[in-house]
Amino acid sequence: GGKGIKITKVIKVNKESLVQALEKQSIIQSKNDITDTLGNPNIMVLPQSPKGKIAIDYLQENEPARFGAGVIQSTLTSKLYAVIIPDQQAVLNTLNNSQLSVADREEDLSYQLALSVGSDIYIDYSISQSGAAYDTNKYAVTIRAFETTTGRLLGTETGHSKARKGEDQVSIEEAILSAMNNLLSRVTNYWKQDIEKGVQYKLVVNIQADTFTDSELEEVQDVLVESIETASKKIKENIVTNRTLDYNIWCDPTEFPTTRKLWRHIRKEFRNNATQATLSSINQNRKLLLLKIDSK
């Protein structure tokens, strides 16, 4: 008779229960299994500050940035991530700039701060506001996650809020939460890749080239590379000069879960094969290993 009935079903899914069921059936790998193998990563949260502005100062001076950091940190801690709070500018001042110059990196204050306190991952974010209809405002938040020691981008997500009037913090929180779930999924995927490929380490070696002849220098470099190869499943060569060797290497997480164990292995191999050089450690920081080669 020209009449109809429309039926709508609203279904709510308990995400945590679904994830646990998939983990029990070994369809997906549980976060606990991943952290047992690689350890729970330390994560630092920093705002994207204006050029020339130190992130710590910007965090203290800018209210939306400070509130945004709190929301992200709260989200991470609620999911049992280990969070580092950069509350002292003195931490940045203690960073040895010469260590970074060895790696030939451009100045990045967020990276330097995260590296100096030993975070595995650092998250930075930017908050933007735009006008909407009826004198309301809406916010967009872009959040990025990086592996600290290698600078590898793990993921970028953007979240948006509804248009509101006079509820800026509610809108900022809404935009952040809409972006964080997808970003954390990317971080978890990064862990899984490290289990499959091996733990990724950044290895930078500075050579006192002036103290070696050309033939000695070539021999020392060969010995070093051979020592690294005995510990790694895969090697990526980034920079090779007379003075600097820069590598990303992937190692078995069960055999080399820390930079300390990796350093001991490389040192032993190098000592057994190098006759005219000594290898020493400049710095060991999470997944970053800075070494130096001198003549005997």
Side-chain angles (χ1 to χ4, degrees):
K3 296 181 180 179
I5 298 174
K6 180 180 179 180
I7 299 175
T8 302
K9 291 184 178 181
V10 179
I11 301 173
K12 293 184 178 181
V13 178
N14 186 320
K15 182 180 176 181
E16 292 299 324
S17 296
L18 178 60
V19 169
Q20 290 174 11
L22 294 174
E23 289 173 352
K24 288 179 180 178
Q25 298 177 53
S26 300
I27 296 174
I28 63 174
Q29 192 169 13
S30 72
K31 180 185 170 186
N32 289 337
D33 291 341
I34 298 172
T35 55
D36 286 344
T37 304
L38 296 177
N40 205 21
N42 290 326
I43 302 178
M44 174 173 283
V45 180
L46 295 165
Q48 295 180 31
S49 56
K51 187 176 180 179
K53 189 77 171 180
I54 296 175
I56 294 295
D57 292 341
Y58 185 70
L59 192 63
Q60 294 174 346
E61 298 168 1
N62 187 278
E63 176 60 32
R66 185 164 62 250
F67 177 76
V71 174
I72 296 174
Q73 290 164 356
S74 176
T75 303
L76 292 171
T77 54
S78 69
K79 296 182 181 295
L80 304 181
Y81 288 93
V83 180
I84 297 175
I85 300 176
D87 56 353
Q88 294 181 359
Q89 184 179 338
V91 175
L92 178 61
N93 296 332
T94 61
L95 180 63
N96 188 338
N97 290 325
S98 63
Q99 293 176 2
L100 295 176
S101 65
V102 170
D104 294 329
R105 301 190 66 95
E106 294 182 2
E107 184 181 33
D108 183 338
L109 296 182
S110 295
Y111 164 82
Q112 292 182 27
L113 180 59
L115 184 61
S116 68
V117 299
S119 68
D120 297 297
I121 296 169
Y122 75 93
I123 292 176
D124 70 8
Y125 60 95
S126 62
I127 301 172
S128 60
Q129 175 188 341
S130 60
Y134 306 106
D135 295 325
T136 59
N137 293 316
K138 56 183 179 181
Y139 283 83
V141 177
T142 300
I143 308 176
R144 305 182 301 178
F146 296 88
E147 185 178 42
T148 303
T149 51
T150 65
R152 177 167 52 142
L153 177 65
L154 305 180
T156 302
E157 293 291 338
T158 300
H160 301 273
S161 74
K162 296 179 181 178
R164 294 184 177 87
K165 187 173 183 179
E167 296 181 332
D168 293 344
Q169 290 190 346
V170 173
S171 296
I172 292 173
E173 182 172 4
E174 180 182 49
I176 289 174
L177 294 179
S178 68
M180 281 298 291
N181 280 335
N182 288 336
L183 188 72
L184 292 179
S185 295
R186 293 175 183 265
V187 171
T188 302
N189 289 336
Y190 142 76
W191 277 342
K192 292 178 180 178
Q193 289 175 3
D194 271 1
I195 288 180
E196 295 169 0
K197 296 181 180 179
V199 180
Q200 185 178 177
Y201 290 99
K202 178 79 166 180
L203 180 64
V204 182
V205 183
N206 178 253
I207 303 175
Q208 302 300 310
D210 296 340
T211 61
F212 297 101
T213 65
D214 290 344
S215 60
E216 288 175 340
L217 181 61
E218 186 173 349
E219 181 181 347
V220 166
Q221 290 179 332
D222 288 342
V223 171
L224 176 66
V225 173
E226 290 171 359
S227 301
I228 296 171
E229 286 176 341
T230 62
S232 60
K233 299 171 65 175
K234 178 183 175 183
I235 297 178
K236 179 184 177 184
E237 189 175 84
N238 300 316
I239 299 172
V240 175
T241 69
N242 286 345
R243 293 185 175 275
T244 302
L245 298 175
D246 185 322
Y247 293 97
N248 285 356
I249 65 175
W250 287 260
C251 303
D252 186 339
T254 59
E255 189 175 359
F256 301 104
T258 64
T259 53
R260 182 65 181 173
K261 288 193 174 183
L262 177 61
W263 154 240
R264 286 166 56 188
H265 179 90
I266 294 174
R267 179 183 60 184
K268 180 180 178 181
E269 292 293 322
F270 188 86
R271 283 178 176 176
N272 291 339
N273 297 286
T275 58
Q276 70 275 14
T278 60
L279 181 66
S280 57
S281 173
I282 299 175
N283 189 290
Q284 299 171 44
N285 192 332
R286 307 298 291 182
K287 292 184 179 180
L288 175 66
L289 186 57
L290 298 177
L291 306 178
K292 181 176 69 171
I293 294 178
D294 295 291
S295 60
K296 285 186 177 179

